Structures are given as C-alpha cells and as structure tokens.
Amino acid sequence: MASSPCGNGNFDSGLEIKTRSVEQTLIPLVSQITTLINHKDKPKKSERTLAAIHRVGQAVSVAVGRFVAVGEAIATENQELKDEMGQACFEARRAGDAIAQLTDVASALPSQADGRVTVFSDRTGMVKAARLLLSSVTKVLVLADRIVIKQIITSRNKVLVTLDHLERVSTFQEFVQIFSQFGNEMVEFAHLTGDRQNDLKDEKKKARMAAARAVLEKCTMMLLTASKTCLRHPDCESARINKDGVFHRMRCALEQVIDIVTEARSCGENQLLPASIYNGIKDFKSSVECLRENLYSSSPQSMGSQLEALVERTEDFTDSAYTSHEQRQAILSVCQLARQDTQQLMNAWIEAQSVHAKEATEDMEVAILKTCQSIGDLRREVHKVAVGRATDLLKVHGEQLPLRALKTAGAEGNLEAVAEYSRKLTEQKEQLVETCRLLCHVSGTEPLEITCVHAEETFHVIGPQIISAAQTLALHPSSKIAKENLEVFCEAWESQLCDMALLLREINDVFEGRRGDKRPYLSLPRPGKLSANLKTAKAVKLDAEEQTSMAKLGLELRLLSSDLDTEVEKWEAQEHDIVRQSQSLASMAYNMYLFTRGEGLLKTTLDLFHQAEVLSEEGLQLCSALRTFSTQLVDEEKSVVMTELEKLVALCQQLQMGAKTPVQGKTATFQKVDSSIQTTKGILAVVLYLLPFCNKLSKKYKSERSSLGSPQDWRERQDASTPVREEGALNSKNSNGFGLKSLEQHMAGLNLLESK
C-alpha cells in the first residue's frame, strides 16, 4: 500500500506508484483536492467565490468525463484490462459527478443572518468524493502504465524471434534481409526502454536498466560483424565461439530488461550486488552513533562481530597481487586501529550498562568519536587505493598496446604472436575486473555499485571475445570481415575504458560530497525563431547501426562536458557570466551525448538540431562575456584570449549555420548529426582551454586590485546579458497522454479559492 505522491495519508490510493509520469500527474490533483476540502472550514462564501467554486466543480466533472472516455477506449483495445479499467473509470465518473453536485449553486442555502451562501454542507461527502476521485484516477493511470509494460514485452518478443532467425541464417542475402528487420525492431525497443528508464523512480532500477541497454547497444554492432564473419568462414571454430558469445549476451540483456519492468523476483538487487565496504562502514558507523540514544538496543558482542565482518571485506584489497606492500600495510594498520578503538568503546559500553546508565557516559562519548574517526580513516584509505589503482590502469591501458599488437599479429596470420598477446590482454582484463570490484566497494551509492558490476562483467566478457576474433583473423588474415570484426570488439573495449573513466569521476564526486549530477537544460527545444526555419524538416530517429557509430563520438563529447564541469567548479565567482554560460554549454553537450545513446530529452534528429542552435547562441553569449573580460587585460594576455575567441566565434557560427541548413534523406541527416556533434566538440575544446586561463587571470587581477570591478558593475553586466529562457515547449511535452491535461488545468483553477 502506497500513499499519495504528495505524502498525504488522507489520499491513500492503495496502489504503488513506480514511475515519475504518474506521480507528477497526480501531485497537482492531490494538492488542489486538499485545497478544495480545506475550504470546508469556512462554509459561508460570497457570491463571487461561490461562482468560482461552481465553475471549477463543473469543469472538473467535464474533464473527468473526457479522461474516463480515454480510459474506456484503452479498456476496449486491451481486453485483459477491460474489467479493472471499467470499474476504475466508473468510480472516477461517479466521483466527478459527486464533486460537481457538491459545488452546485442550486444545492447551496442562503444564510438567514447575513444573506451569504453556505456551500459544501456535506463535508463527509466531499472528502469521500475527493478520495474516490484520486484513487480511481490513480488506478486508471497505473493500469494504463501496464500497457507500456506490455508494449516493451511485445517489442522484446519480436526482437527475440528475429534474433533466433538471425542465428540460424545460412546465406548473406537472408542475413541482410533479416538484420534490416532486426535493426528496426531494436530501435523501437531502445526508445521504449529509454523512455521507461527515464520514467522510473527507483534509482537502482534505472541503473540496472541503463546497464542492460548499454549491453544491447554495444552488442548490436558486434552481432552484425560476428555473424558476417561466421557466414564467411562457416568452418572456423573461433568465429562460431565469438558469435555465440554475442547472441548469449544479448539474450541475457533482453531478459534483464523484462525482469526490471515486470519486477521479476529473479532479478533482486541482493543477487546482483556484493557486500561493499562502503555499506559496511555506513552500517557500522550508524550502530556506533545509535549508542548515544540507546545503550541497550544491541550488545557489545554484536558490534564486535559487525566490525570483523567489515574488516573481512578489506581482504579484497589486502589479498590482491596488485596491491603494493605499502598500501596493504596502511589498510591493515587502519583496521587494527579501528579494532582497538572499538574495543575501548565496548569496554566503556559494558561499564555503562553495569551501572544501569540511561545515556552514554563521557568515556563512551570519547570512544564513539575515536571509533568513528578510525572507521572514517579506513574508508579514505580503501578509497585512495581503489581510485589510485583505477587511475594508473587507465593511464597504462589508454595506449591500447595489446589491442594494437593483436590486430597486427592477426593481420599477419601469426598465431604464436596472437597467443602471446592474448595472454597479455587476459592479464589486463583480470586487472580491470579486480579494479572494478574494488571500485564497487567504495562507490558510495547503489546505482554506482550497479555500474561497477556492469563494468566488471563487460571486461570479463569482451576480453575473451577479442581473443576469439583475433584468432579468427590470424586463421584468415586476408579476410576483410574478420578484420572488421576484431576492430569492432576492440572499439567496445576502448568504449568501456572511457565509461570506466567517467565512473571514476562520479565515484570521486560522491566521496567529495558532489553528486556530479547534470543539471537539465530547461530551454530546449525553444519555440519561436529557432524552430521557424525547421518547420518543414522531418524528424528522424537514428537506427541501431548509426547509433552505434555515434557512440564513440558521444563518449568523447561526454568526457569534454565533464571536464568543462570540473573547470567551472574551480571558479570562485560562480555567478560570473563566463561560468554560467559555460555551465549551460556543458549541460547542452551532455544532452547531445544522451541523444547518441537514444536517451534523454532529445528524441529525434530535429530535437538535436534545435539543441545545436541553442548551444551556438549560448556560445556566442559566452564570446560576448569573454570579450568584456578581455578589456581588462594587458596586451599579451588579451592577445591570447582574443585569438581563442575568434576560433570560438567561428565554430559557433559554423554550428548555427549547419543546424539551420535543411537536409533531405537519411544519409544527409546522419552526416548533419555527425557534423553538429563534431563542431560541438570543437567548441567545448576551445572553452576548456580558455576557462582555466581566464580563471587564473581573474584571481591574479583580484589579488592585485581587490576586484576586476565593483560587484555591482559585474552584477549589472550579468543581468544585462542573461538570455531569457522560454520553457513552454518543454513543459508542453509533460502533458499526459491519457487525457488528464484538461483535468489538471481545471483543478489548477482551485488556486483561486486559496485567496478567498
């Protein structure tokens, strides 16, 4: 049983709300129904107020009627929900009629004393009608949400059937035909699951959905080349092993998506996540601090056992062959200190219990502080080791030496060299898998733990697949498709290394108290002049192969936007124009990155081009701020800024013109997408060079002159150059597809009552 999204126990719908769309639809309804009921406390109303109440009551009834009509249409199309939906619609209509009757002027009675009208004479009836309306509307929405789940399952089933056909094809002609169908089905599945992922309230489910969708995204291109290689070389065992691995992984990912949307028991988080040191420390610290409130809630022995279980988890660090002697000793020393401090706490605790103390003694308080400090030291030590290990590995493996050597050896048909470099890649894989396991211990949030587990599984699976692809190429060194296949698997490895670098930053953000969440950019796509020149353009969705080729470009864009966020945070004057506009650029670039994954607010290429145009305008605003900043610089410094500024202006204008230029045909559209993202990367690269340089100069001039100008002057310049944000287009996208928009609008009219 779940209460209403507003947390008002008076409106318990009896249904668990699992998606943001349903929750956000219900919040204004709950709020306004509460307002309506609260006005029962003042039954006497003026004629003006009475008229407003009457209009709103009748409007609510009409809106509910339209809403119910949509619900009944859904029931007709989905026989399995017909009875439940019919009952919910009947209750909603009855509640709407009751509210209309209770707010009817004809039912109001004039007061003999002052002539004013008394309305809502039946408070119990109004409360009952309001409860019924909310619960029935919630039920209709939740039932409609089942249709979305059904669509995802149906889409998955189509993909599975086509996947089975693909696995059994024996000719290239048949393969090309079926893969084209498979690509279209995967695009549909990607958009359905992407929307679902964004709509989920549970962050752990969102992370697990993202992991499964990432597997499907990367495996689609692998499936193409692995299947082609197997068709070209049907008797090659390594090619068959390579292909079988891809098909198996795709089926597992498809099943995981369905487990998430249907909440199957087999996909419980307890089976997915190992016990982490971070969670162990958090639970242990909570137990220690609880002693301040209750000395008798647990026993000293249980606390000792809890600490030992936590120390046992550090063996993943201390038993690792890749942990240095110094790091191992540091962890063991901190663990020993935590044991000593905990023992002192237990002694003080036992003594306090022996004298029947009602609260923590002074000795206990000192011991609690020392224990919390030593356990905090343990967290910092393991974090330092895990992050340091990951950073070093990324630097070493960023050169991709084993991959390059495998490609060369395979192309030369040198099986011995392939075997040698396969061993090196296997060792690298084991290091990365273990490092992901250590990062999971210190990630700090369950969604990040899930991402670490996904990274670990990805390295574990792709490593052997690269080796089988290299073996196939070595056996058939003149095969172009075998060479292409190895290249695709190597790119997937490199892509996962990029993902690991981003994961590392997010873990550091959590450790340092910054969540690193991207701010949504609320002005896209904007109505008006930006969309005027694109009215005749046709919105296009990238297919699976195009999205795969965009993935690497998108990751590069994400890294740049993350670097930009990092540089922005280094500025002391966060209200500075340069800072604000750089933040906007980073957020918009991040939205473009999400587009390359089939996620986020940008659903089609038309959305992307709108975003590119907005970004170019924001970039030109940044140019204006930088030009103002440069007027206070000396010649040499000014020359550097102006040189980069010219590059930035040219790139922004190039992006703007490219976004406005109409194109026709899928190939031209894809090229325009590629060009827009490439130019955006160029813009971010220039801004990344300018930001630290300008920050350094800003600090220098501040120290020399106490400021670059009066704070008032800076604020005036900022106010003058701040662009007006228009959010209408985005807000219009939030209307519910089940006919509740009019209901929301009429219920919003109840705000009029709050001032009466």
Side-chain angles (χ1 to χ4, degrees):
M1 298 285 284
S3 60
S4 72
C6 292
N8 189 332
N10 293 332
F11 297 108
D12 188 345
S13 68
L15 295 167
E16 184 182 357
I17 298 170
K18 298 165 186 172
T19 58
R20 297 184 189 280
S21 55
V22 173
E23 182 181 67
Q24 293 303 313
T25 300
L26 289 172
I27 284 175
L29 185 59
V30 175
S31 174
Q32 302 308 334
I33 285 178
T34 302
T35 302
L36 185 64
I37 290 175
N38 287 343
H39 276 272
K40 177 66 185 73
D41 295 335
K42 298 178 181 179
K44 293 182 179 180
K45 306 291 178 186
S46 66
E47 290 184 7
R48 182 179 176 184
T49 302
L50 180 63
I53 292 172
H54 175 69
R55 284 196 302 271
V56 171
Q58 298 305 309
V60 166
S61 179
V62 171
V64 169
R66 285 196 291 265
F67 175 80
V68 166
V70 175
E72 289 170 341
I74 292 173
T76 302
E77 295 170 3
N78 299 271
Q79 289 297 314
E80 70 275 15
L81 297 179
K82 186 174 181 180
D83 293 341
E84 284 185 276
M85 184 71 86
Q87 182 63 29
C89 289
F90 170 77
E91 292 175 353
R93 193 189 298 277
R94 188 176 63 166
D97 291 344
I99 288 176
Q101 184 177 358
L102 288 166
T103 56
D104 191 356
V105 176
S107 66
L109 300 173
S111 169
Q112 294 181 351
D114 56 8
R116 289 195 167 212
V117 176
T118 301
V119 71
F120 299 167
S121 56
D122 183 6
R123 176 181 175 84
T124 302
M126 177 57 68
V127 171
K128 184 178 179 181
R131 287 172 62 94
L132 183 61
L133 177 61
L134 181 64
S135 63
S136 55
V137 167
T138 301
K139 189 165 187 179
V140 171
L141 289 171
V142 171
L143 289 172
D145 188 61
R146 286 193 205 168
I147 307 301
V148 177
I149 296 173
K150 179 184 173 184
Q151 288 174 338
I152 294 174
I153 294 172
T154 302
S155 178
R156 186 283 306 260
N157 291 341
K158 287 196 297 182
V159 169
L160 274 179
V161 170
T162 310
L163 199 62
D164 289 340
H165 291 164
L166 271 178
E167 197 170 19
R168 295 195 301 267
V169 297
S170 56
T171 66
F172 269 104
Q173 184 178 1
E174 186 183 6
F175 174 79
V176 170
Q177 181 182 356
I178 297 177
F179 189 83
S180 176
Q181 177 188 343
F182 175 76
N184 292 331
E185 290 170 353
M186 280 300 295
V187 169
E188 177 192 3
F189 188 72
H191 283 288
L192 285 172
T193 54
D195 291 341
R196 189 67 179 181
Q197 177 185 322
N198 292 331
D199 199 22
L200 287 170
K201 289 170 59 182
D202 190 310
E203 292 299 324
K204 290 182 288 184
K205 290 177 184 174
K206 288 181 78 168
R208 291 172 53 236
M209 179 76 89
R213 294 181 71 248
V215 170
L216 293 172
E217 176 188 321
K218 291 174 181 175
C219 280
T220 300
M221 184 56 100
M222 296 179 196
L223 185 143
L224 172 63
T225 57
S227 298
K228 286 165 65 178
T229 303
C230 222
L231 286 170
R232 179 71 71 193
H233 310 288
D235 298 326
C236 183
E237 180 67 10
S238 58
R240 185 192 61 77
I241 292 172
N242 184 261
K243 176 187 134 181
D244 289 349
V246 177
F247 275 87
H248 175 72
R249 197 158 184 240
M250 285 204 77
R251 288 192 176 96
C252 289
L254 287 166
E255 197 59 35
Q256 183 177 344
V257 169
I258 300 306
D259 285 346
I260 295 165
V261 298
T262 60
E263 300 190 312
R265 289 175 180 268
S266 61
C267 67
E269 284 79 1
N270 292 335
Q271 296 180 2
L272 180 68
L273 297 178
S276 72
I277 291 175
Y278 172 81
N279 286 329
I281 288 175
K282 184 172 68 173
D283 293 342
F284 180 76
K285 189 174 179 182
S286 175
S287 298
V288 170
E289 291 177 335
C290 278
L291 293 177
R292 293 188 172 109
E293 299 174 4
N294 189 344
L295 298 181
Y296 305 95
S297 59
S298 62
S299 68
Q301 292 75 19
S302 65
M303 181 169 289
S305 300
Q306 193 177 2
L307 177 65
E308 288 308 313
L310 171 59
V311 170
E312 187 177 337
R313 296 178 195 178
T314 65
E315 290 175 1
D316 281 347
F317 288 79
T318 56
D319 291 353
S320 169
Y322 305 109
T323 301
S324 70
H325 176 72
E326 292 77 10
Q327 290 172 334
R328 184 177 294 106
Q329 287 304 119
I331 293 173
L332 292 173
S333 297
V334 177
C335 287
Q336 187 58 34
L337 179 61
R339 282 193 178 104
Q340 292 172 2
D341 290 338
T342 303
Q343 187 59 53
Q344 289 181 5
L345 172 59
M346 290 164 61
N347 293 339
W349 186 6
I350 292 170
E351 185 178 342
Q353 286 183 332
S354 68
V355 297
H356 305 291
K358 294 183 179 180
E359 57 184 22
T361 62
E362 186 176 336
D363 288 346
M364 275 191 70
E365 185 61 42
V366 171
I368 287 172
L369 292 173
K370 288 177 67 178
T371 303
C372 288
Q373 182 177 348
S374 58
I375 213 70
D377 291 341
L378 176 60
R379 183 195 173 195
R380 280 187 288 275
E381 196 60 44
V382 293
H383 176 87
K384 183 172 69 174
V385 172
V387 170
R389 169 94 62 84
T391 303
D392 292 343
L393 274 180
L394 288 171
K395 286 178 182 176
V396 172
H397 300 330
E399 299 174 4
Q400 308 298 339
L401 295 179
L403 296 185
R404 279 189 250 167
L406 275 173
K407 292 176 191 176
T408 303
E412 293 172 351
N414 190 337
L415 282 168
E416 289 184 5
V418 166
E420 178 187 348
Y421 290 114
S422 293
R423 285 191 292 271
K424 291 185 178 180
L425 182 65
T426 300
E427 183 181 351
Q428 186 182 101
K429 177 208 73 176
E430 290 171 354
Q431 287 180 321
L432 288 165
V433 164
E434 184 178 284
T435 301
C436 290
R437 200 171 297 135
L438 300 188
L439 288 175
C440 186
H441 273 301
V442 301
S443 56
T445 69
E446 287 184 314
L448 287 180
E449 284 183 25
I450 291 167
T451 307
C452 289
V453 171
H454 165 67
E456 178 185 340
E457 291 172 349
T458 301
F459 284 123
H460 185 75
V461 171
I462 293 183
Q465 288 180 317
I466 291 174
I467 292 171
S468 61
Q471 290 169 344
T472 303
L473 179 58
L475 292 169
H476 308 279
S478 60
S479 173
K480 291 183 179 178
I481 182 57
K483 183 178 181 181
E484 180 189 358
N485 187 47
L486 176 58
E487 190 68 43
V488 166
F489 280 93
C490 289
E491 286 178 0
W493 180 275
E494 294 167 9
S495 172
Q496 189 56 50
L497 286 174
C498 289
D499 285 348
M500 187 174 175
L502 292 165
L503 173 62
L504 193 58
R505 291 183 185 184
E506 291 174 357
I507 289 172
N508 267 325
D509 283 343
V510 172
F511 182 77
E512 294 170 7
R514 305 189 310 266
R515 291 307 298 264
D517 294 333
K518 293 285 181 178
R519 296 166 295 278
Y521 190 76
L522 297 178
S523 65
L524 56 105
R526 291 196 292 185
K529 64 175 183 176
L530 292 180
S531 56
N533 54 72
L534 292 168
K535 286 180 181 176
T536 59
K538 184 179 178 182
V540 176
K541 290 183 178 180
L542 299 184
D543 62 27
E545 188 172 348
E546 289 167 338
Q547 281 193 351
T548 301
S549 64
M550 283 283 107
K552 186 175 180 182
L553 196 60
L555 281 171
E556 292 169 356
L557 190 62
R558 184 180 176 185
L559 285 169
L560 284 169
S561 69
S562 182
D563 287 339
L564 196 55
D565 278 334
T566 301
E567 288 300 330
V568 161
E569 289 172 359
K570 294 177 182 177
W571 280 63
E572 294 176 0
Q574 286 290 305
E575 75 284 356
H576 201 293
D577 276 353
I578 293 174
V579 172
R580 289 188 300 101
Q581 281 145 4
S582 296
Q583 286 173 334
S584 294
L585 290 179
S587 292
M588 287 186 277
Y590 184 74
N591 279 322
M592 294 173 79
Y593 154 72
L594 289 178
F595 172 83
T596 66
R597 294 178 58 88
E599 301 172 6
L601 297 172
L602 310 179
K603 300 298 183 186
T604 67
T605 52
L606 190 57
D607 294 335
L608 180 77
F609 300 147
H610 276 294
Q611 176 68 106
E613 199 170 347
V614 175
L615 189 145
S616 67
E617 282 201 347
E618 196 72 18
L620 291 171
Q621 291 283 347
L622 176 59
C623 291
S624 176
L626 287 166
R627 192 170 282 109
T628 301
F629 179 81
S630 68
T631 60
Q632 305 165 65
L633 307 179
V634 297
D635 292 343
E636 185 176 346
E637 295 166 343
K638 184 173 182 179
S639 175
V640 173
V641 172
M642 293 306 293
T643 300
E644 295 301 316
L645 193 56
E646 289 174 9
K647 295 180 189 176
L648 187 57
V649 170
L651 286 167
C652 290
Q653 291 174 344
Q654 178 184 335
L655 182 62
Q656 194 171 55
M657 292 303 297
K660 289 180 178 179
T661 303
V663 293
Q664 296 205 349
K666 196 168 185 180
T667 302
T669 302
F670 178 69
Q671 290 172 347
K672 183 174 175 180
V673 170
D674 182 84
S675 175
S676 297
I677 295 177
Q678 291 281 13
T679 307
T680 301
K681 280 176 54 186
I683 289 172
L684 263 60
V686 174
V687 177
L688 266 174
Y689 175 81
L690 281 169
L691 267 183
F693 183 70
C694 292
N695 189 21
K696 181 180 177 181
L697 294 177
S698 177
K699 290 178 179 177
K700 172 186 171 185
Y701 278 78
K702 183 178 180 180
S703 62
E704 288 178 357
R705 308 174 191 169
S706 81
S707 71
L708 290 172
S710 72
Q712 182 62 33
D713 290 342
W714 279 103
R715 280 195 293 272
E716 288 173 1
R717 283 200 293 273
Q718 289 161 8
D719 293 341
S721 62
T722 301
V724 177
R725 307 288 187 213
E726 299 179 35
E727 302 180 8
L730 180 64
N731 291 339
S732 67
K733 290 186 177 182
N734 294 331
S735 61
N736 189 279
F738 301 109
L740 201 69
K741 186 65 179 177
S742 57
L743 178 61
E744 288 181 12
Q745 290 170 342
H746 290 308
M747 293 307 294
L750 288 171
N751 283 326
L752 295 170
L753 303 179
E754 295 180 1
S755 59
K756 302 293 183 186

